[in-house]
Amino acid sequence: RNIIINGDMSIAQRGTSTSGITGSGYNTVDRFRIGGSTFGTFTQSQSTDVPTGQGFAKSLKMDCTTANGSLSASSQLTIQQRIEGQNSQYLKKGTSNAESTTLSFWVKSNKTGTYIAELRDQDNTRHISQSYTISSANTWEKKTLTYAGDTSGVFNNDNGESFRLQFWLAAGSNYTSGTLNTSWNSTTNANTAVGQVNLADSTSNEWYITGVQLEVLAC
């Protein structure tokens, strides 16, 4: 089953467009939060631009309106979903039976290159990242990433945030100066978003996503 809520971006109870975004918070599409600071200025909206014939009616759109072509070391811009521990127990994290997961989604941008999708264990300060490539400008592409199960660190079984999915869109050197952490380890910021392009470097830049699914890897 899909651990992500509203992955088709169909619900936007706060509104369908927010401009002048310069920091963290919830803005439009339910459950999807902007995280970060000093990343320029963006408009976030619920868009009707979707991949053809895939059954989706809405997407989440990020549109750069004030560029930041020289990110500070601490600059970051992510799209997050924060997941309760009680909704993550079936991943069996922290046990010998820990489940591997598959993340799939449709994405589109004029800004081609390497992007990072990260999973974070907020209870035990652990993380894992995988990269994906937007190959063709302004073209919907489906991406599928696999993350190994983590035999260390059990999620709390409560309604607090235990698990986080983060799509990186911009990252300063504090998050890119190491080696990309493609297996579960204690959180090291420098290893989080190595290779990430800067979506904030031009007011021409846009990024769309829909159809986000995070599920136990099928055998």
Side-chain angles (χ1 to χ4, degrees):
R1 63 185 177 87
N2 189 9
I3 200 169
I4 299 300
I5 298 172
N6 198 35
D8 64 356
M9 313 299 170
S10 61
I11 302 171
Q13 297 179 90
R14 294 176 183 84
T16 58
S17 184
T18 301
S19 60
I21 299 169
T22 59
S24 300
Y26 292 96
N27 294 280
T28 60
V29 175
D30 285 25
R31 296 281 179 161
F32 286 88
R33 180 182 186 273
I34 289 177
S37 60
T38 62
F39 52 72
T41 307
F42 278 76
T43 294
Q44 185 186 83
S45 59
Q46 183 190 50
S47 174
T48 57
D49 189 334
V50 293
T52 301
Q54 300 302 320
F56 303 113
K58 304 290 185 182
S59 64
L60 182 153
K61 177 184 178 182
M62 294 291 292
D63 178 16
C64 181
T65 56
T66 302
N68 182 353
S70 299
L71 298 173
S72 66
S74 61
S75 292
Q76 56 174 307
L77 174 59
T78 64
I79 300 296
Q80 313 169 343
Q81 182 156 143
R82 299 179 170 192
I83 303 162
E84 296 175 5
Q86 62 193 8
N87 293 337
S88 309
Q89 296 300 307
Y90 81 103
L91 298 177
K92 306 170 192 170
K93 192 175 180 300
T95 76
S96 59
N97 296 318
E99 300 280 5
S100 297
T101 51
T102 297
L103 174 66
S104 60
F105 54 95
W106 287 85
V107 66
K108 172 183 170 180
S109 179
N110 66 294
K111 180 79 173 179
T112 59
T114 299
Y115 290 75
I116 304 300
E118 178 196 15
L119 303 181
R120 285 197 172 225
D121 171 356
Q122 298 296 101
D123 291 328
N124 302 287
T125 320
R126 293 173 63 78
H127 71 153
I128 184 173
S129 295
Q130 299 288 356
S131 64
Y132 65 95
T133 302
I134 294 181
S135 302
S136 300
N138 302 313
T139 303
W140 281 104
E141 300 175 350
K142 185 177 183 181
K143 306 300 176 183
T144 302
L145 306 175
T146 299
Y147 300 81
D150 187 13
T151 57
S152 297
V154 176
F155 287 138
N156 298 335
N157 188 17
D158 57 24
N159 64 359
E161 181 196 1
S162 291
F163 196 29
R164 183 182 297 183
L165 168 63
Q166 297 199 127
F167 293 99
W168 284 81
L169 302 181
S173 60
N174 285 355
Y175 305 97
T176 62
S177 59
T179 301
L180 190 66
N181 186 53
T182 57
S183 59
W184 282 101
N185 282 295
S186 296
T187 301
T188 301
N189 283 342
N191 299 338
T192 298
V194 180
Q196 172 66 44
V197 302
N198 181 11
L199 190 76
D201 67 4
S202 171
T203 56
S204 298
N205 292 344
E206 300 174 338
W207 182 86
Y208 300 78
I209 192 168
T210 194
V212 181
Q213 296 186 87
L214 181 63
E215 301 173 299
V216 168
L217 180 62
C219 297

